[in-house]
Amino acid sequence: MAPQLQDIFVAKVLLVLMMCLSFHGRVVGGAPSHSDKSRLLVELLRSYDKRMYPESPVNVTYSMSLQRLERLDETTNLLYISALEVTEWSDSRLVWDPASFNGVPHIPLSPDHVWTPNVKPDLKILDDETVQIGTMSDGKVHQTKLLRLALSCTPDLANYPYDSPSCKFKVEDLGYSTEDINLYISEIRSGADLNAYEMNALWRTNSFNAVRKEIKYACCEEVYETINYSINLSRKPNGFAVRVLAPAVLTSLLVLFCFLIPPSCGERSVVCSVLLVATIIQMVSFNLSVPMVGGGTPFLGVFFCFSVFMAFFATVVSVASLNLARGFGVDAKDGGVRTVDSSKTTMLKIARFIDVMCFVVFILVFAIAGGTILNNHPTPK
């Protein structure tokens, strides 16, 4: 009986050892090793020639994710941005059976060893760094790059500081027509993505769009494809209404109320002169803060010119009204100036009538012209 129990015990021990070895084999065999990937890399690149593109036409999908708006240099009209681009295509020469390489599903590659499409933005590239390039077992290749770009962007200063410049650029595969490469906007990834965008302190990014277009040049019969990008921005006023706009409007209103001061009051011309100088100082200060390069004339610059004219005209009218209100005549005996009491009342009425008429006319002019100037800009968001 004892030998039988011993045989049963030995059989159970052998069964447990076999199960452990089987499990160990599955664990070791299920994880591709470094040697498996090295063997796959050698096999893929054995007869690979990067100078030749895959079987044409190659379908290339492209997408760009805007990461950061660094700055808009308004002296050179250049917008500096950082972006992440992803390019995807298929290469039949990079297809393998994962089972033959211990289940390797994908492998990273170097752009120095494989063919890559020459898809680039048609603008100044400040920095171009390939973050990753890899291929799947079915031959699908994806390439990720970090870019720093400088694109032309001219703001329209007519609505400063509520201007919304639109900056445009295009992406194309230089040297390849649609017979060789078809360029598409990625459907899986948005062609123009703002999900990872970092907010800028001075500019608000309203939209980032991409449109695919086909171009045929006069010199050639081939058709070329491009992806046109547009970035729409709007300047953040950052308290502009309180710091600049409100003082400008209040100063102009004070010019109107100069006509309510009695015409015989000599301090009235002093007040008008002070308001004229204050308006000129405001206009100079505003001009120093406005970029010198750009299209259009700022609406507030036009308003300041209008206010200076009003203040100047009010000063001239105040001096004339003062002389009329006090009345004057020439004493032929001593050549001095003497007051003519008989005409003083009439002159005062004429001066007062001129003040009332100027006040009414200036109110209408300010309401029509000033309102038109100040409302001729987009509402800030």
Side-chain angles (χ1 to χ4, degrees), residues 213-233:
K213 290 187 177 181
E214 294 184 351
I215 300 177
K216 188 173 182 180
Y217 298 100
C219 64
C220 315
E221 296 183 358
E222 295 84 0
V223 177
Y224 296 86
E225 294 172 328
T226 64
I227 299 178
N228 294 356
Y229 283 89
S230 63
I231 306 174
N232 183 261
L233 308 174

Side-chain angles (χ1 to χ4, degrees), residues 128-355:
D128 183 350
E129 178 184 356
T130 300
V131 178
Q132 180 184 8
I133 182 171
T135 180
M136 306 297 292
S137 60
D138 58 357
K140 292 183 178 179
V141 187
H142 67 272
Q143 178 180 252
T144 305
K145 284 186 178 182
L146 279 176
L147 302 175
R148 286 188 67 245
L149 308 174
L151 58 145
S152 177
C153 189
T154 303
D156 183 10
L157 298 181
N159 296 315
Y160 178 89
Y162 303 111
D163 47 329
S164 299
S166 183
C167 316
K168 300 179 180 181
F169 65 96
K170 65 179 180 180
V171 173
E172 58 185 345
D173 197 328
L174 300 175
Y176 292 100
S177 65
T178 54
E179 297 179 358
D180 302 319
I181 290 180
N182 291 322
L183 184 60
Y184 297 100
I185 297 175
S186 177
E187 296 181 357
I188 300 176
R189 300 177 178 86
S190 175
D193 186 18
L194 285 173
N195 292 330
Y197 177 72
E198 298 179 8
M199 301 297 293
N200 184 273
L202 299 178
W203 294 93
R204 182 184 296 107
T205 302
N206 299 323
S207 63
F208 182 42
N209 301 314
V211 178
R212 176 177 175 268
K213 290 187 177 181
E214 294 184 351
I215 300 177
K216 188 173 182 180
Y217 298 100
C219 64
C220 315
E221 296 183 358
E222 295 84 0
V223 177
Y224 296 86
E225 294 172 328
T226 64
I227 299 178
N228 294 356
Y229 283 89
S230 63
I231 306 174
N232 183 261
L233 308 174
S234 60
R235 193 191 303 266
K236 296 180 180 179
N238 293 333
F240 175 83
V242 176
R243 294 183 291 107
V244 181
L245 190 58
V249 175
L250 291 176
T251 304
S252 299
L253 290 176
L254 288 176
V255 173
L256 296 178
F257 285 100
C258 281
F259 295 108
L260 300 181
I261 301 175
S264 59
C265 182
E267 289 79 5
R268 169 177 160 175
S269 59
V270 177
V271 173
C272 292
S273 300
V274 170
L275 292 175
L276 174 61
V277 174
T279 306
I280 294 176
I281 293 175
Q282 287 180 337
M283 182 173 64
V284 172
S285 177
F286 174 75
N287 289 336
L288 292 177
S289 66
V290 176
M292 299 302 295
V293 181
T297 302
F299 73 95
L300 195 56
V302 178
F303 180 77
F304 275 127
C305 292
F306 170 73
S307 299
V308 168
F309 168 77
M310 289 181 59
F312 174 77
F313 188 78
T315 304
V316 174
V317 172
S318 296
V319 174
S321 298
L322 179 63
N323 290 327
L324 288 174
R326 291 182 175 180
F328 62 91
V330 178
D331 192 342
K333 185 176 181 179
D334 56 12
V337 178
R338 62 183 177 85
T339 302
V340 182
D341 294 335
S342 60
S343 62
K344 185 175 181 179
T345 304
T346 304
M347 293 296 184
L348 182 62
K349 291 181 179 180
I350 295 175
R352 195 60 184 167
F353 176 77
I354 293 175
D355 286 346

